[in-house]
Amino acid sequence: DVEGEVNGIITYDRALIKLDIDSTNRLVSQLYKPAWNKRILIPDSELENYKWQMADREPEADWTEKEFDSCDWKSLNAPFLVSPNPFLLPGTNWEPEQTIYLRQEFYLGSLPENLSVKIYANQLEMEWYLNGQKVEVPDGIWGRKRHYSHKLVNDYKQYLQLGKNTFAIKLTPKSRKAVFDLGMYDSKTN
């Protein structure tokens, strides 16, 4: 209702539009552009299952290295769950007392500007390795109900290389509610 208002966009009788339409469109259109450009390095499985290589027995000592031959590992869908989770896609189940080992290869044509992980993880002990280097797992709670968390991990960039890279993860569940899914992306602000 614009009756009695002097600061409306149009006059009360709608005879006069007080703002220039072209200028307003230019200003408002910026609100509908993406705030940042995202380059997915490792897809997550929030909307569609993505496969990781998995071993359910302790692998050889060099399993975190990018040159490790994992051709005999299983290729299984994420997310990885000890028991069903109604907020996630069905994925790969594993036993609550079992440690699993995951590997994901990805390729870089250019090094990332802002490296982030998108993660849903609960009730787990985790070890992360990037190209054989153990990296610090970010602090925090990762995933509540149906929400993934995004963590900036720019300190990992020092271990990345052009060409082939490997992200290796060791997961040990702490309860029957253990769950894990992860993606990695690069973002550039506009």
Side-chain angles (χ1 to χ4, degrees), residues 17-32:
I17 297 175
K18 297 179 183 179
L19 298 175
D20 177 64
I21 292 174
D22 291 333
S23 297
T24 303
N25 282 339
R26 245 187 334 275
L27 291 171
V28 172
S29 69
Q30 298 301 311
L31 300 173
Y32 295 95

Side-chain angles (χ1 to χ4, degrees), residues 17-190:
I17 297 175
K18 297 179 183 179
L19 298 175
D20 177 64
I21 292 174
D22 291 333
S23 297
T24 303
N25 282 339
R26 245 187 334 275
L27 291 171
V28 172
S29 69
Q30 298 301 311
L31 300 173
Y32 295 95
K33 289 184 178 178
W36 48 283
N37 294 320
K38 181 166 106 173
R39 175 176 58 139
I40 296 173
L41 308 177
I42 300 173
D44 61 79
S45 292
E46 182 177 17
L47 302 175
E48 182 178 339
N49 293 109
Y50 189 72
K51 293 192 180 294
W52 284 70
Q53 291 181 296
M54 185 190 102
D56 53 11
R57 291 187 196 95
E58 188 166 355
E60 297 172 25
D62 63 346
W63 72 276
T64 64
E65 301 292 331
K66 74 177 186 174
E67 300 309 323
F68 177 77
D69 182 5
S70 59
C71 66
D72 60 341
W73 287 34
K74 299 171 191 164
S75 180
L76 298 169
N77 284 335
F80 296 88
L81 312 125
V82 169
S83 57
N85 183 316
F87 302 111
L88 298 174
L89 292 175
T92 299
N93 293 328
W94 90 91
E95 297 299 319
E97 65 281 344
Q98 180 183 41
T99 296
I100 62 171
Y101 304 83
L102 303 174
R103 287 177 52 88
Q104 187 60 253
E105 291 181 355
F106 61 99
Y107 294 82
L108 293 176
S110 63
L111 294 175
E113 184 177 307
N114 290 301
L115 186 64
S116 296
V117 291
K118 179 180 175 183
I119 183 168
Y120 192 109
N122 196 6
Q123 299 292 314
L124 293 168
E125 291 178 14
M126 299 186 282
E127 291 179 19
W128 292 5
Y129 301 86
L130 191 52
N131 291 330
Q133 297 293 315
K134 189 171 185 177
V135 294
E136 187 175 332
V137 177
D139 290 332
I141 297 170
W142 312 289
R144 288 289 178 114
K145 296 197 176 179
R146 62 189 149 267
H147 302 288
Y148 281 66
S149 294
H150 297 257
K151 302 284 182 177
L152 188 64
V153 290
N154 276 334
D155 50 325
Y156 293 12
K157 291 191 306 185
Q158 63 185 314
Y159 305 115
L160 294 175
Q161 302 166 1
L162 294 176
K164 179 181 169 182
N165 291 270
T166 300
F167 198 19
I169 301 169
K170 177 182 175 183
L171 300 174
T172 304
K174 295 195 289 187
S175 83
R176 294 187 81 60
K177 294 181 180 179
V179 60
F180 178 80
D181 187 26
L182 178 135
M184 183 182 283
Y185 61 92
D186 175 24
S187 61
K188 296 179 181 181
T189 54
N190 289 336

